[in-house]
Every structure is written in structure tokens, then in C-alpha cells.
Amino acid sequence: MVMPPLPDSRTEPDGSAVVRVLSYNIRSMRDDSAALARVIRACAPDLVFVQEAPRFFRWRKYASRLAMATDLVVLGGGAPAAGPLLLCSLRATVERTEDVLLPRTPGLHRRGFATAVVRFGAARIGVLSCHLSLRGDERQAQAKAALARLKSMGAPHSVLAGDINERPEGPSFALLADQLKDAWAVEPWGGEHTSTPRDPRQRIDAVFTSEGVEVLGCGVPHGLPGVSEQDLKAATDHLPVLAVLRFPAA
């Protein structure tokens, strides 16, 4: 399946910026890391919101290898954020980063957020990568915490992306979509379902933006040049979500 082309990254004369954003659960790079790198590189992202990044022994080495293999740099996150990671291209001017650990629930994995404020052209953007809980009540509390964290960052525009662990009709997903824009719902492109790669039946990974951000297209990059179905199935146990966003100049 060949999809209509998405716009390339660029900065407009007025300082507004077209930015390519990718959200991807990479399962600690336990699968085919070469396929993973090929998928990310073919999407040509400016920002990658990673979930389940390596976070134990030599996690920095694995994060650096992934960044090098995809022509990106590590922006923040990883083990200090309990798994979420941010990568960026050299287009980004980094203002600040912060890794956030959330309260631990006994018997469940610790969760956190990788956050940053970056600039592309004259657009200033707060970004947050998250991987929400498998348990409903904790997941909703984490969704509320993510929204509060974005607001506290003070940037004119925001992007939240990650593994929501819930379908769009669920309360946590609905909360995010109520206060932000669900990019797939605004301008669908490519595939919808992200889990699992071999038999995708549900959309539990998403990109959300604040009001004022124009969504030019969003979805699983099936048919994107350089992205093979074989690599999508081999790379990890989720499919990626690619979004192209236009940010007004601040």
C-alpha cells in the first residue's frame, strides 16, 4: 500500500516549523535492532518519543547506539525516567530537559515521563514521552499528571506521545483527547492500529498536540518509502506512530 507523501521537515520564512514526530515502543531493543533503526531512519523524524527504552545494565550505551544508527541524538529520559526516552535531530535547539519519576505502586512497574522544551525555528514546544500503567486507576492518575506536567512547562505549544495502554474509548485516552488533540483523529494517514505488528487490532499508541498546532498527517507508516512490513514486524512488539505537525512561530 502506497500512501500519499507527508511533508518534509522545514522552517518557514515567518519562523513557523513543520516537524516530523515519531512515537515508538521499542521493547528495550530486545528484538531486531537493525530493523528498528531502519524504520526510524526511514520516517526521518525530528523528535522520537520512545517507550520501553533500555533502562538497566549499560542502558546509556544502547540509547547512544540507537541514536547513532538513526542519525539522531539523545535528548533525555531512559533509566532516570523509568523507560521513556526522547531523541531529536540536530534541527532542535534544546532549552531544557527534565526526567520525572512517578509514585510507585506496589507490585507494578515504576513509571515516569521524559520531558523537554525545544525550539524549531521560532516555534517553542514542550514535549513529553510517556508509557502509562496497565492498571486503570493508576493509568488515569498518570494521564492527569502528564497533562499537569505539560502545562507547568510553560511552552506555547505541546506534544504528548506514547503508549497509552488503552484504546480511544477508554477514560484515560479520552481525558488526553479532551484536553489535547488526538492527531490520528484530526488528520488520519497510514494505518490506525498499533498492536500487535503481526495482527494489529487496537490503537493504544498515540500522538497528542495542543490547540494551535496543525496536524498534517498521522498514523502507522505502512507503505512509507524505506519502511518494509518485514521490518515493522521484526523491530518490536508495537507499530510506530508518525505525525507531521506545523507549529506557529511564538
Side-chain angles (χ1 to χ4, degrees):
M1 177 176 59
V2 178
M3 299 302 301
L6 288 171
D8 292 331
S9 302
R10 64 180 183 274
T11 301
E12 307 285 6
D14 66 354
S16 62
V18 174
V19 178
R20 295 171 73 99
V21 167
L22 189 71
S23 182
Y24 211 171
N25 183 321
I26 65 171
R27 208 167 80 104
S28 297
M29 297 175 66
R30 295 200 300 266
D31 300 287
D32 188 334
S33 58
L36 176 69
R38 286 193 294 268
V39 170
I40 295 175
R41 197 165 51 243
C43 291
D46 300 293
L47 290 167
V48 184
F49 295 67
V50 175
Q51 301 85 49
E52 289 195 40
R55 59 191 180 95
F56 296 112
F57 184 63
R58 293 182 176 174
W59 68 270
R60 290 182 180 85
K61 178 185 74 174
Y62 291 107
S64 297
R65 282 181 177 175
L66 180 62
M68 290 178 63
T70 55
D71 301 322
L72 300 168
V73 297
V74 175
L75 179 54
L85 176 76
L86 290 166
L87 305 176
C88 68
S89 72
L90 294 179
R91 283 189 70 212
T93 299
V94 182
E95 185 174 305
R96 67 179 187 270
T97 67
E98 184 176 4
D99 302 325
V100 180
L101 281 176
L102 297 172
R104 183 192 300 274
T105 299
L108 297 178
H109 291 297
R110 187 114 193 228
R111 304 284 176 169
F113 305 142
T115 76
V117 176
V118 297
R119 287 181 281 117
F120 291 90
R124 186 165 171 264
I125 309 159
V127 298
L128 185 151
S129 177
C130 64
H131 185 187
L132 302 189
S133 175
L134 290 167
R135 200 172 87 178
D137 58 342
E138 186 179 51
R139 184 165 59 243
Q140 190 151 27
Q142 291 169 356
K144 292 177 181 177
L147 291 167
R149 176 64 56 168
L150 274 184
K151 186 175 181 180
S152 73
M153 291 163 70
H157 311 296
S158 301
V159 180
L160 181 156
D163 180 350
I164 311 305
N165 261 326
E166 186 176 275
R167 299 179 183 185
E169 60 269 21
S172 302
F173 199 115
L175 174 66
L176 296 172
D178 179 63
Q179 298 197 31
L180 301 169
K181 296 192 300 184
D182 175 4
W184 160 263
V186 172
E187 193 63 37
W189 171 94
E192 176 182 6
H193 298 145
T194 60
S195 178
T196 58
R198 296 188 179 277
D199 186 20
R201 296 185 178 185
Q202 56 182 349
R203 182 164 74 98
I204 60 173
D205 305 84
V207 174
F208 299 90
T209 75
S210 57
E211 290 296 328
V213 178
E214 184 182 359
V215 181
L216 304 179
C218 177
V220 177
H222 294 297
L224 189 75
V227 176
S228 72
E229 291 300 310
Q230 182 178 357
D231 279 350
L232 288 174
K233 292 174 182 177
T236 177
D237 64 346
H238 283 242
L239 292 170
V241 180
L242 174 63
V244 181
L245 310 172
R246 178 182 282 119
F247 295 92

